[in-house]
Amino acid sequence: MKVQVCIIGGGPSGLLLSQLLHLQGIDTILLEKYSREHVLSRIRAGVIEHGFAKLMREAQCGERMDREGEIHHGFHIAHDSRLDYVDLHKHSGGNSVIVYGQTELTRDLYEARDKLGGNVVHNAEDVTPHDIASDAPYVTYRVGDKTVRVDCEFVIGADGFHGVSRKSIPTDVLREHEKIYPFGWLGILSRTKPVSPELIYVKHERGFALCSLRSQVLSRYYIQVPLSDKPEDWSDDAFWAELKRRLPEQVAAQLITGPSIEKSIAPLRSFVAEPMRYGRLFLAGDAAHIVPPTGARGLNSAASDIYYLYHALIDHYRKGDDSGLDGYSQKALARVWKAQRFSWWMTMLLHRFPDRLSYDERLQETEMSYLFSSETAQRLVAENYVGLPF
Ligand code: FAS
Ligand code: PHB
């Protein structure tokens, strides 16, 4: 089989790029390790930047997001028994974010691929890129006991943090930068009315918490827990009781609790792999970078990778211009590192660090008091949270 672009990974990054390229007449195949049901069973991101939303619309996948997603003009930070508000709309020159679950966004992308007759292969095992340093790369994969070879011109590694693509770059070429945080986020999903119409980030001496949502009848809550904890260590009652201890009294009193329909612990790490290109292999999304979810940058960092690759491949095929491809890694990393900075900053601001020094604590307090005493500081947060320009 021969295609122009072979995409490894059927998460939001791979799906969005395959849909955008297909609409431009560029021939792709997408190879996903698991079944569609498995991919859609994951509960992940919830906040969509305006740049990502624009790309979804350009990919003819934004209709349900615009209908069912919620526009949020700001978020709250609860700290020191106060509830302060970051007005994103005011401080970002009129931009906002859309709260719409990654699961639904991925479902919309799959349905759009089906509608266009996109070439999407599920349960593709042992996906392996070959000859990526040559001008004639190919990818092999297995379905059952049948091995298939896909000859292509470009390979896009959109296979997430644990995928095969990044590991295909020679170790003497790849540089990895990582920071592991000494705690995780225990998250639950519950069919309850959200405690607040907009997100509440909580800095508390017992630890971080976050009140988020997927709709007016589906709430998403998180609390910071030690890395040694497991989801089964936390009954629903224990989770709700701990969340209430961390919320301001007037918010805790409004909290509607209910059975969890999903409960999981996500470890927090900051990670960047450089370069994001090796020969004809291009990394995108979590395959190249991971952020702690505190700044809601994870999924959104993938958007600019996809935007750059989409335009670079169009320029290659339409004009024979490879400047976009040759400049991809440097351009993508410049925005990735800004998302890394913001995610690190929000994480340092809001979490309780087990081994913190008194100096660190006073610095955290100073950051928070500076944030809410300076419109400049709030503009800085707002421009990062709604999404820096591509
Ligand atoms: P993904 O990991 O989503 O997709 C990669 C795909 O490649 C997967 O479907 C995988 O099955 C497939 N794959 C892997 N190896 C393969 C192989 N060898 N062959 C073929 N396919 C292969 N971000 C936020 O903004 N907010 C959050 O709250 C948040 N919570 C998260 C919680 C968890 C537990 C995780 C893991 C991530 C979270 N993220 C969050 C980040 C997340 O949303 C990612 O940024 C987003 O999924 C990135 O999308 P992709 O780059 O498509 O990677
Ligand atoms: C979520 O709703 O899952 C969510 C929202 C904002 C974040 C992290 C997670 O910063």
Side-chain angles (χ1 to χ4, degrees), residues 29-112:
I29 184 171
L30 185 148
L31 306 175
E32 164 56 46
K33 184 177 184 177
Y34 295 109
S35 70
R36 187 172 297 194
E37 293 68 35
H38 178 91
V39 175
L40 293 175
S41 69
R42 298 173 185 142
I43 304 297
R44 295 231 180 123
V47 173
I48 310 297
E49 287 179 359
H50 64 103
F52 198 148
K54 241 172 96 187
L55 263 186
M56 284 291 286
R57 297 182 193 111
E58 186 168 346
Q60 297 176 11
C61 302
E63 193 266 331
R64 190 161 72 103
M65 174 191 71
D66 287 329
R67 193 176 67 245
E68 297 179 10
E70 297 199 2
I71 307 276
H72 284 205
H73 294 311
F75 61 81
H76 305 272
I77 296 184
H79 64 99
D80 311 303
S81 309
R82 294 172 52 86
L83 193 60
D84 283 312
Y85 187 66
V86 178
D87 189 334
L88 297 173
H89 196 259
K90 173 183 168 193
H91 293 303
S92 71
N95 284 314
S96 304
V97 291
I98 296 180
V99 172
Y100 186 64
Q102 177 175 323
T103 307
E104 298 318 310
L105 182 136
T106 308
R107 193 190 313 281
D108 296 341
L109 285 163
Y110 269 123
E111 284 171 9

Coordinates of all heavy atoms in Angstrom, one line a residue, residues 29-112:
I29 N -3.1 7.5 5.9 CA -3.7 6.4 6.6 C -3.3 6.6 8.1 O -2.3 7.2 8.4 CB -3.0 5.0 6.1 CG1 -3.7 3.8 6.8 CG2 -1.5 5.0 6.4 CD1 -3.3 2.5 6.3
L30 N -4.3 6.3 9.0 CA -4.0 6.4 10.4 C -4.0 5.0 11.1 O -5.0 4.3 10.9 CB -5.1 7.3 11.0 CG -4.9 7.7 12.5 CD1 -5.5 9.1 12.8 CD2 -5.5 6.7 13.4
L31 N -3.0 4.7 11.8 CA -2.9 3.4 12.5 C -3.0 3.6 14.0 O -2.2 4.3 14.6 CB -1.5 2.8 12.1 CG -1.1 2.7 10.7 CD1 0.3 2.2 10.5 CD2 -2.1 1.8 9.9
E32 N -4.0 3.0 14.6 CA -4.3 3.1 16.0 C -4.2 1.7 16.6 O -4.8 0.8 16.2 CB -5.7 3.7 16.2 CG -6.3 3.5 17.7 CD -5.4 4.1 18.8 OE1 -4.9 5.2 18.7 OE2 -5.2 3.3 19.7
K33 N -3.4 1.7 17.7 CA -3.1 0.4 18.4 C -4.4 -0.2 19.0 O -4.5 -1.5 19.0 CB -2.2 0.8 19.6 CG -1.6 -0.4 20.3 CD -0.6 0.2 21.4 CE 0.1 -0.9 22.2 NZ 1.1 -0.3 23.1
Y34 N -5.3 0.5 19.5 CA -6.4 0.0 20.2 C -7.7 0.1 19.4 O -7.8 0.7 18.4 CB -6.6 0.6 21.6 CG -5.4 0.4 22.5 CD1 -4.5 1.4 22.8 CD2 -5.2 -0.9 23.1 CE1 -3.5 1.2 23.7 CE2 -4.1 -1.1 23.9 CZ -3.3 -0.1 24.2 OH -2.2 -0.3 25.0
S35 N -8.8 -0.5 20.0 CA -10.1 -0.3 19.4 C -10.6 1.1 19.6 O -10.2 1.8 20.5 CB -11.1 -1.3 20.0 OG -11.4 -0.8 21.4
R36 N -11.6 1.5 18.8 CA -12.2 2.8 18.9 C -12.9 2.9 20.3 O -12.8 4.0 21.0 CB -13.3 3.0 17.8 CG -13.8 4.4 17.8 CD -14.7 4.7 16.6 NE -13.9 4.6 15.4 CZ -14.4 5.1 14.2 NH1 -15.6 5.7 14.2 NH2 -13.7 5.0 13.1
E37 N -13.5 1.9 20.8 CA -14.2 1.9 22.1 C -13.2 2.2 23.2 O -13.4 3.0 24.1 CB -14.9 0.5 22.3 CG -16.0 0.2 21.4 CD -15.6 0.0 20.0 OE1 -14.5 -0.6 19.8 OE2 -16.3 0.4 19.0
H38 N -12.0 1.5 23.0 CA -11.0 1.7 24.1 C -10.5 3.2 24.1 O -10.4 3.8 25.1 CB -9.8 0.8 23.8 CG -8.7 1.0 24.8 ND1 -8.5 0.3 25.9 CD2 -7.6 1.9 24.8 CE1 -7.5 0.6 26.6 NE2 -6.9 1.6 25.9
V39 N -10.3 3.7 22.9 CA -9.8 5.1 22.8 C -10.9 6.1 23.4 O -10.5 7.0 24.2 CB -9.5 5.5 21.3 CG1 -9.2 7.0 21.2 CG2 -8.4 4.7 20.8
L40 N -12.1 5.8 23.1 CA -13.2 6.7 23.6 C -13.6 6.4 25.0 O -14.4 7.1 25.6 CB -14.4 6.5 22.7 CG -14.2 7.0 21.2 CD1 -15.5 6.7 20.4 CD2 -13.9 8.5 21.2
S41 N -13.0 5.4 25.6 CA -13.3 5.2 27.1 C -12.4 6.0 28.0 O -12.6 6.1 29.2 CB -13.0 3.7 27.4 OG -11.6 3.5 27.4
R42 N -11.4 6.7 27.4 CA -10.5 7.5 28.2 C -11.1 8.9 28.6 O -11.7 9.5 27.7 CB -9.2 7.8 27.4 CG -8.4 6.6 27.0 CD -7.3 7.0 26.1 NE -6.6 5.8 25.6 CZ -6.1 5.7 24.4 NH1 -6.3 6.7 23.6 NH2 -5.4 4.7 24.0
I43 N -10.9 9.3 29.9 CA -11.4 10.6 30.3 C -10.2 11.5 30.4 O -9.3 11.2 31.3 CB -12.1 10.5 31.7 CG1 -13.3 9.5 31.6 CG2 -12.7 11.9 32.1 CD1 -14.4 9.8 30.6
R44 N -10.1 12.5 29.7 CA -8.9 13.3 29.7 C -9.2 14.8 29.8 O -9.8 15.2 30.7 CB -8.0 13.0 28.5 CG -7.5 11.6 28.5 CD -6.0 11.5 28.3 NE -5.4 10.2 28.3 CZ -4.7 9.7 27.2 NH1 -4.6 10.4 26.1 NH2 -4.2 8.5 27.3
A45 N -8.8 15.6 28.8 CA -8.9 17.0 28.9 C -10.3 17.6 28.9 O -11.2 16.9 28.4 CB -8.0 17.6 27.8
G46 N -10.4 18.8 29.3 CA -11.7 19.4 29.3 C -11.8 20.8 28.8 O -12.9 21.3 28.5
V47 N -10.6 21.5 28.6 CA -10.6 22.9 28.2 C -10.0 23.1 26.9 O -8.9 22.6 26.6 CB -9.8 23.8 29.3 CG1 -9.7 25.2 28.8 CG2 -10.5 23.7 30.6
I48 N -10.7 23.7 25.9 CA -10.3 23.8 24.5 C -9.9 25.3 24.3 O -10.8 26.2 24.5 CB -11.4 23.4 23.5 CG1 -11.9 22.0 23.9 CG2 -10.9 23.4 22.1 CD1 -10.9 20.9 23.9
E49 N -8.7 25.6 23.9 CA -8.3 26.9 23.5 C -9.1 27.4 22.3 O -9.5 26.6 21.4 CB -6.8 27.0 23.2 CG -5.9 26.8 24.2 CD -4.4 26.8 23.7 OE1 -4.2 26.9 22.5 OE2 -3.5 26.7 24.5
H50 N -9.1 28.7 22.1 CA -9.8 29.2 20.9 C -9.1 28.8 19.6 O -9.8 28.6 18.6 CB -10.0 30.7 21.0 CG -8.8 31.6 20.9 ND1 -8.3 32.2 19.8 CD2 -7.8 31.8 21.9 CE1 -7.2 32.8 20.1 NE2 -6.9 32.6 21.3
G51 N -7.8 28.7 19.6 CA -7.0 28.2 18.4 C -7.4 26.8 18.0 O -7.6 26.5 16.9
F52 N -7.5 25.9 19.0 CA -7.9 24.5 18.8 C -9.3 24.5 18.2 O -9.6 23.8 17.3 CB -7.8 23.7 20.1 CG -7.7 22.2 19.9 CD1 -7.0 21.4 20.8 CD2 -8.3 21.6 18.9 CE1 -6.9 20.1 20.7 CE2 -8.3 20.2 18.7 CZ -7.5 19.4 19.6
A53 N -10.2 25.3 18.9 CA -11.6 25.3 18.4 C -11.7 25.7 16.9 O -12.4 25.1 16.2 CB -12.4 26.2 19.3
K54 N -10.8 26.7 16.6 CA -10.8 27.2 15.2 C -10.4 26.0 14.2 O -11.0 25.8 13.2 CB -9.8 28.4 15.0 CG -10.5 29.6 14.6 CD -9.6 30.8 14.7 CE -8.9 31.1 13.3 NZ -7.9 32.2 13.4
L55 N -9.4 25.3 14.6 CA -8.9 24.2 13.8 C -10.0 23.1 13.7 O -10.1 22.5 12.6 CB -7.6 23.6 14.5 CG -6.3 24.0 14.0 CD1 -5.2 23.1 14.6 CD2 -6.1 23.9 12.5
M56 N -10.7 22.8 14.8 CA -11.8 21.8 14.7 C -12.8 22.3 13.7 O -13.3 21.5 12.9 CB -12.4 21.7 16.1 CG -11.6 20.8 17.1 SD -11.5 19.1 16.6 CE -13.2 18.5 17.1
R57 N -13.2 23.6 13.7 CA -14.1 24.1 12.7 C -13.6 24.0 11.3 O -14.3 23.5 10.4 CB -14.5 25.5 13.0 CG -15.2 25.7 14.4 CD -15.6 27.1 14.7 NE -15.9 27.3 16.1 CZ -15.2 27.9 17.0 NH1 -14.1 28.6 16.6 NH2 -15.5 28.0 18.3
E58 N -12.3 24.3 11.1 CA -11.7 24.2 9.8 C -11.7 22.7 9.3 O -11.8 22.4 8.1 CB -10.3 24.7 9.9 CG -9.6 24.8 8.5 CD -8.3 25.5 8.5 OE1 -8.0 26.3 9.5 OE2 -7.5 25.4 7.5
A59 N -11.6 21.8 10.3 CA -11.7 20.4 9.9 C -13.1 19.8 9.8 O -13.3 18.6 9.7 CB -10.9 19.6 11.0
Q60 N -14.1 20.7 9.8 CA -15.5 20.4 9.7 C -15.9 19.4 10.8 O -16.7 18.5 10.6 CB -15.8 19.7 8.3 CG -15.5 20.7 7.2 CD -15.7 20.0 5.8 OE1 -16.2 18.9 5.7 NE2 -15.2 20.7 4.8
C61 N -15.3 19.7 12.0 CA -15.6 18.9 13.2 C -16.1 19.7 14.4 O -16.1 19.2 15.5 CB -14.4 18.1 13.6 SG -13.7 17.1 12.4
G62 N -16.4 20.9 14.2 CA -16.7 21.8 15.3 C -18.1 22.0 15.7 O -18.5 22.7 16.6
E63 N -19.0 21.4 14.9 CA -20.5 21.7 15.0 C -21.0 21.3 16.4 O -21.6 22.2 17.1 CB -21.2 21.0 13.9 CG -22.7 21.4 13.7 CD -23.6 20.5 14.5 OE1 -23.2 19.3 14.7 OE2 -24.6 21.0 15.0
R64 N -20.7 20.1 16.9 CA -21.3 19.7 18.2 C -20.5 20.4 19.3 O -21.1 20.8 20.3 CB -21.1 18.2 18.4 CG -21.9 17.6 19.6 CD -22.1 16.1 19.4 NE -20.9 15.4 19.6 CZ -20.6 14.7 20.8 NH1 -21.4 14.8 21.8 NH2 -19.5 14.0 20.9
M65 N -19.2 20.6 19.1 CA -18.5 21.4 20.1 C -19.1 22.8 20.3 O -19.3 23.2 21.5 CB -17.0 21.5 19.6 CG -16.1 22.4 20.5 SD -14.5 22.8 19.6 CE -15.1 23.9 18.3
D66 N -19.4 23.4 19.2 CA -20.1 24.8 19.3 C -21.5 24.7 19.9 O -21.9 25.7 20.5 CB -20.1 25.5 18.0 CG -18.6 25.9 17.6 OD1 -17.9 26.3 18.5 OD2 -18.3 25.9 16.4
R67 N -22.1 23.6 19.7 CA -23.5 23.5 20.2 C -23.5 23.1 21.6 O -24.3 23.6 22.4 CB -24.3 22.4 19.3 CG -25.8 22.4 19.5 CD -26.5 21.4 18.6 NE -26.2 20.0 18.9 CZ -25.6 19.2 18.1 NH1 -25.2 19.7 16.9 NH2 -25.3 18.0 18.4
E68 N -22.7 22.1 22.0 CA -22.8 21.5 23.4 C -21.7 22.1 24.3 O -21.8 22.0 25.5 CB -22.7 20.0 23.3 CG -23.9 19.4 22.5 CD -23.7 17.8 22.5 OE1 -22.9 17.3 23.2 OE2 -24.5 17.2 21.7
G69 N -20.6 22.5 23.7 CA -19.5 23.1 24.6 C -20.0 24.3 25.3 O -20.9 25.0 24.9
E70 N -19.3 24.6 26.4 CA -19.7 25.8 27.2 C -18.6 26.9 27.1 O -17.4 26.5 27.3 CB -19.9 25.5 28.7 CG -21.0 24.5 28.9 CD -21.4 24.5 30.3 OE1 -20.9 25.3 31.1 OE2 -22.4 23.8 30.7
I71 N -18.9 28.1 26.7 CA -17.9 29.2 26.6 C -17.7 29.6 28.1 O -18.6 30.0 28.8 CB -18.5 30.4 25.8 CG1 -19.0 29.9 24.5 CG2 -17.4 31.5 25.7 CD1 -18.0 29.8 23.4
H72 N -16.4 29.7 28.5 CA -16.1 30.2 29.8 C -15.2 31.4 29.6 O -14.2 31.4 28.9 CB -15.3 29.1 30.6 CG -16.2 28.0 31.1 ND1 -15.8 27.3 32.3 CD2 -17.4 27.6 30.8 CE1 -16.8 26.5 32.5 NE2 -17.7 26.6 31.6
H73 N -15.7 32.5 30.3 CA -15.0 33.8 30.2 C -13.9 34.0 31.3 O -13.3 35.0 31.3 CB -16.0 34.9 30.2 CG -16.9 34.9 29.0 ND1 -16.4 34.8 27.7 CD2 -18.2 35.0 28.8 CE1 -17.4 34.8 26.8 NE2 -18.6 34.9 27.5
G74 N -13.8 33.0 32.2 CA -12.8 33.2 33.2 C -12.9 32.0 34.1 O -13.6 31.0 33.9
F75 N -12.0 32.0 35.1 CA -12.0 30.9 36.2 C -11.7 31.5 37.5 O -11.2 32.7 37.6 CB -11.1 29.8 35.8 CG -9.6 30.2 35.7 CD1 -8.8 30.3 36.9 CD2 -9.0 30.4 34.5 CE1 -7.5 30.7 36.8 CE2 -7.7 30.8 34.4 CZ -6.9 30.9 35.5
H76 N -12.0 30.8 38.6 CA -11.8 31.2 39.9 C -10.6 30.6 40.5 O -10.2 29.5 40.1 CB -13.0 30.9 40.8 CG -14.3 31.4 40.3 ND1 -14.8 32.6 40.6 CD2 -15.2 30.8 39.5 CE1 -16.0 32.7 40.1 NE2 -16.3 31.7 39.3
I77 N -9.9 31.3 41.4 CA -8.9 30.6 42.2 C -9.3 30.8 43.7 O -9.5 32.0 44.2 CB -7.5 31.2 42.0 CG1 -7.0 30.9 40.5 CG2 -6.5 30.6 43.0 CD1 -5.6 31.4 40.2
A78 N -9.5 29.7 44.4 CA -9.8 29.8 45.8 C -8.5 29.6 46.6 O -7.7 28.7 46.4 CB -10.7 28.6 46.2
H79 N -8.2 30.6 47.5 CA -6.9 30.5 48.2 C -7.1 31.4 49.5 O -7.8 32.4 49.5 CB -5.8 31.1 47.4 CG -6.0 32.6 47.1 ND1 -5.3 33.6 47.8 CD2 -6.8 33.2 46.1 CE1 -5.7 34.7 47.3 NE2 -6.6 34.5 46.3
D80 N -6.5 30.9 50.6 CA -6.5 31.7 51.8 C -7.9 32.2 52.2 O -8.1 33.4 52.5 CB -5.6 32.9 51.7 CG -4.2 32.5 51.1 OD1 -3.6 31.6 51.8 OD2 -3.8 33.0 50.0
S81 N -8.9 31.3 52.1 CA -10.3 31.6 52.4 C -10.9 32.7 51.5 O -11.9 33.3 51.8 CB -10.5 32.0 53.9 OG -9.8 31.1 54.7
R82 N -10.2 32.9 50.4 CA -10.8 33.9 49.4 C -11.2 33.2 48.1 O -10.7 32.1 47.9 CB -9.7 35.0 49.0 CG -9.3 35.9 50.1 CD -8.1 36.7 49.6 NE -8.4 37.4 48.3 CZ -9.0 38.5 48.3 NH1 -9.3 39.2 49.4 NH2 -9.3 39.1 47.1
L83 N -12.0 33.8 47.3 CA -12.4 33.3 46.0 C -12.2 34.4 45.0 O -13.0 35.3 44.9 CB -13.8 32.8 46.0 CG -14.3 31.9 44.8 CD1 -13.4 30.6 44.7 CD2 -15.7 31.5 44.9
D84 N -11.0 34.4 44.3 CA -10.7 35.4 43.3 C -11.0 35.0 41.9 O -11.1 33.8 41.7 CB -9.3 35.9 43.5 CG -9.1 36.7 44.7 OD1 -9.9 37.7 44.9 OD2 -8.2 36.5 45.5
Y85 N -11.1 35.9 41.0 CA -11.6 35.5 39.6 C -10.6 36.1 38.6 O -10.1 37.2 38.7 CB -12.9 36.2 39.4 CG -13.6 35.8 38.0 CD1 -14.0 34.5 37.8 CD2 -13.8 36.7 37.0 CE1 -14.6 34.1 36.6 CE2 -14.4 36.4 35.8 CZ -14.8 35.1 35.6 OH -15.4 34.7 34.4
V86 N -10.2 35.2 37.7 CA -9.3 35.6 36.6 C -10.3 35.8 35.4 O -10.8 34.9 34.8 CB -8.2 34.6 36.2 CG1 -7.4 35.0 35.0 CG2 -7.3 34.4 37.4
D87 N -10.4 37.1 35.0 CA -11.3 37.4 33.9 C -10.6 37.2 32.5 O -9.9 38.2 32.1 CB -11.9 38.8 34.0 CG -13.0 39.2 33.1 OD1 -13.0 38.5 32.0 OD2 -13.8 40.0 33.4
L88 N -10.7 36.1 32.0 CA -10.0 35.8 30.7 C -10.4 36.7 29.6 O -9.6 37.2 28.8 CB -10.2 34.3 30.3 CG -9.8 33.2 31.2 CD1 -10.3 31.8 30.8 CD2 -8.3 33.2 31.4
H89 N -11.7 36.9 29.5 CA -12.3 37.7 28.4 C -11.7 39.1 28.4 O -11.2 39.7 27.4 CB -13.8 37.7 28.5 CG -14.5 38.1 27.2 ND1 -15.0 39.4 27.1 CD2 -14.7 37.5 26.0 CE1 -15.6 39.5 25.9 NE2 -15.4 38.3 25.2
K90 N -11.8 39.7 29.6 CA -11.3 41.1 29.8 C -9.8 41.2 29.6 O -9.3 42.1 28.9 CB -11.6 41.5 31.2 CG -11.1 42.9 31.6 CD -11.4 43.2 33.1 CE -10.6 44.4 33.6 NZ -10.7 44.6 35.0
H91 N -9.0 40.2 30.1 CA -7.6 40.4 30.1 C -6.9 39.8 28.9 O -5.7 39.9 28.7 CB -7.0 39.8 31.4 CG -7.3 40.6 32.6 ND1 -7.1 41.9 32.8 CD2 -8.0 40.2 33.8 CE1 -7.5 42.3 34.0 NE2 -8.1 41.3 34.6
S92 N -7.7 39.1 28.0 CA -7.0 38.5 26.8 C -7.5 39.2 25.5 O -7.3 38.7 24.4 CB -7.4 37.0 26.7 OG -8.7 36.9 26.3
G93 N -8.1 40.4 25.7 CA -8.6 41.1 24.5 C -9.8 40.5 23.9 O -10.0 40.5 22.7
G94 N -10.6 39.8 24.7 CA -11.9 39.3 24.2 C -12.0 37.8 23.9 O -13.0 37.3 23.3
N95 N -10.9 37.1 24.2 CA -10.9 35.7 24.0 C -11.5 34.9 25.2 O -11.5 35.4 26.3 CB -9.5 35.1 23.6 CG -9.1 35.5 22.2 OD1 -9.9 35.4 21.3 ND2 -7.9 36.1 22.1
S96 N -11.9 33.7 24.9 CA -12.4 32.8 26.0 C -11.9 31.4 25.7 O -11.1 31.1 24.8 CB -13.9 32.9 26.0 OG -14.3 34.2 26.2
V97 N -12.4 30.4 26.5 CA -12.1 29.0 26.2 C -13.5 28.3 26.1 O -14.5 28.8 26.6 CB -11.3 28.4 27.3 CG1 -9.8 28.9 27.3 CG2 -11.9 28.5 28.7
I98 N -13.4 27.1 25.5 CA -14.6 26.2 25.4 C -14.4 25.0 26.3 O -13.3 24.4 26.2 CB -14.9 25.7 24.0 CG1 -15.2 26.9 23.1 CG2 -16.0 24.7 24.0 CD1 -15.5 26.5 21.6
V99 N -15.3 24.8 27.2 CA -15.2 23.5 28.1 C -16.0 22.5 27.3 O -17.2 22.6 27.2 CB -15.8 23.8 29.5 CG1 -15.8 22.5 30.3 CG2 -14.8 24.8 30.2
Y100 N -15.3 21.5 26.9 CA -15.9 20.4 26.1 C -14.9 19.2 26.2 O -13.7 19.3 25.9 CB -16.0 20.8 24.6 CG -16.7 19.9 23.6 CD1 -18.0 19.6 23.8 CD2 -16.0 19.3 22.6 CE1 -18.7 18.8 22.9 CE2 -16.6 18.5 21.7 CZ -18.0 18.2 21.8 OH -18.6 17.4 20.9
G101 N -15.4 18.1 26.6 CA -14.5 16.9 27.0 C -13.7 16.4 25.8 O -14.3 16.3 24.7
Q102 N -12.5 16.0 26.0 CA -11.7 15.4 25.0 C -12.3 14.2 24.4 O -12.2 13.9 23.2 CB -10.3 15.1 25.5 CG -9.4 14.4 24.5 CD -8.0 14.2 25.0 OE1 -7.4 15.0 25.8 NE2 -7.4 13.1 24.7
T103 N -13.0 13.4 25.2 CA -13.7 12.2 24.8 C -14.7 12.6 23.6 O -14.7 11.9 22.6 CB -14.5 11.5 25.9 OG1 -13.6 11.4 27.0 CG2 -15.0 10.2 25.5
E104 N -15.5 13.6 23.9 CA -16.5 14.0 22.9 C -15.8 14.6 21.6 O -16.2 14.3 20.5 CB -17.4 15.0 23.5 CG -18.2 14.5 24.7 CD -18.7 13.1 24.4 OE1 -19.3 12.8 23.4 OE2 -18.4 12.2 25.3
L105 N -14.7 15.3 21.9 CA -14.0 15.9 20.7 C -13.4 14.8 19.9 O -13.5 14.8 18.6 CB -12.9 16.8 21.3 CG -11.9 17.5 20.4 CD1 -11.7 19.0 20.9 CD2 -10.6 16.9 20.3
T106 N -12.9 13.7 20.5 CA -12.3 12.6 19.8 C -13.4 11.8 19.1 O -13.2 11.4 17.9 CB -11.6 11.7 20.8 OG1 -10.6 12.4 21.5 CG2 -10.8 10.6 20.0
R107 N -14.6 11.7 19.7 CA -15.7 11.1 19.0 C -16.1 11.8 17.8 O -16.3 11.3 16.7 CB -16.9 11.0 20.0 CG -18.0 10.1 19.6 CD -19.3 10.2 20.5 NE -19.0 10.2 21.9 CZ -18.7 9.1 22.6 NH1 -18.8 7.9 22.0 NH2 -18.5 9.2 23.9
D108 N -16.1 13.2 17.9 CA -16.5 14.0 16.7 C -15.5 13.8 15.6 O -15.8 13.7 14.4 CB -16.5 15.5 17.1 CG -17.6 15.8 18.1 OD1 -18.5 15.0 18.3 OD2 -17.5 16.8 18.8
L109 N -14.2 13.7 15.9 CA -13.2 13.5 14.9 C -13.3 12.1 14.3 O -13.2 12.0 13.0 CB -11.8 13.6 15.6 CG -11.4 15.1 15.9 CD1 -10.2 15.0 16.9 CD2 -11.0 15.8 14.7
Y110 N -13.6 11.1 15.0 CA -13.8 9.8 14.4 C -15.0 9.8 13.5 O -14.9 9.3 12.4 CB -14.0 8.7 15.5 CG -12.7 8.1 16.0 CD1 -12.3 8.1 17.3 CD2 -11.8 7.4 15.1 CE1 -11.1 7.5 17.8 CE2 -10.6 6.8 15.5 CZ -10.3 6.9 16.8 OH -9.1 6.4 17.2
E111 N -16.1 10.4 13.9 CA -17.3 10.5 13.1 C -17.0 11.2 11.8 O -17.4 10.8 10.7 CB -18.5 11.1 13.8 CG -19.0 10.0 14.9 CD -20.1 10.6 15.8 OE1 -20.5 11.8 15.6 OE2 -20.4 9.9 16.8
A112 N -16.2 12.3 11.9 CA -15.9 13.0 10.7 C -15.0 12.2 9.7 O -15.2 12.2 8.5 CB -15.1 14.3 11.1

